[in-house]
Amino acid sequence: QVQLVESGGGLVQPGGSLRLSCTASGNIFGVSAMEWYRQPPGALRVLVAGITHGGSTNYLDSVKGRFTISRDNAKNTVWLSMNNLKPEDTAVYYCKAEVMSDNGWGDYWGQGTQITVSS
């Protein structure tokens, strides 16, 4: 059984910073791409940032220069550092990982963590 556990959400003022973390655990043989998505109220879930096992990254245009995704392959952990947060960043943030387990390759999601940017 593979689990992804997130932490680090909360309430922050505009211009503030937060750092999310997500760790995959269980009977894991390997982890490929790791990604962060967000789902604002009443909207669809969208990809915010992704990182390959080798460290290549991609970002949603609206977060480029403000958010940084990173990972530690030995710890099966991915982080999302968020600076200069804006009210429009308010959403539930989810991590997703492509994991090789004894069930083969599969996509697994974290439970989601709320980020609210408000004064």
Side-chain angles (χ1 to χ4, degrees), residues 64-106:
K64 286 180 180 177
R66 299 189 298 122
F67 291 11
T68 302
I69 188 170
S70 57
R71 66 187 286 173
D72 183 327
N73 291 331
K75 297 180 180 179
N76 294 329
T77 297
V78 62
W79 296 276
L80 186 67
S81 297
M82 302 173 288
N83 296 316
N84 190 21
L85 283 159
K86 303 176 181 182
E88 52 264 41
D89 295 317
T90 295
V92 178
Y93 284 70
Y94 299 89
C95 66
K96 177 186 154 188
E98 186 177 5
V99 177
M100 167 65 94
S101 68
D102 49 7
N103 292 321
W105 283 105

Side-chain angles (χ1 to χ4, degrees), residues 2-68:
V2 175
Q3 287 187 316
L4 268 62
V5 177
E6 304 173 22
S7 62
L11 173 65
V12 63
Q13 292 186 342
S17 298
L18 281 175
R19 190 188 196 207
L20 302 180
S21 68
C22 173
T23 299
S25 63
N27 195 20
I28 295 173
F29 301 138
V31 180
S32 183
M34 302 186 84
E35 298 169 327
W36 288 97
Y37 287 74
R38 70 185 182 190
Q39 186 166 16
L44 296 175
R45 192 175 299 186
V46 298
L47 176 65
V48 174
I51 185 167
T52 67
H53 186 272
S56 297
T57 60
N58 62 283
Y59 295 94
L60 182 67
D61 282 348
S62 61
V63 308
K64 286 180 180 177
R66 299 189 298 122
F67 291 11
T68 302

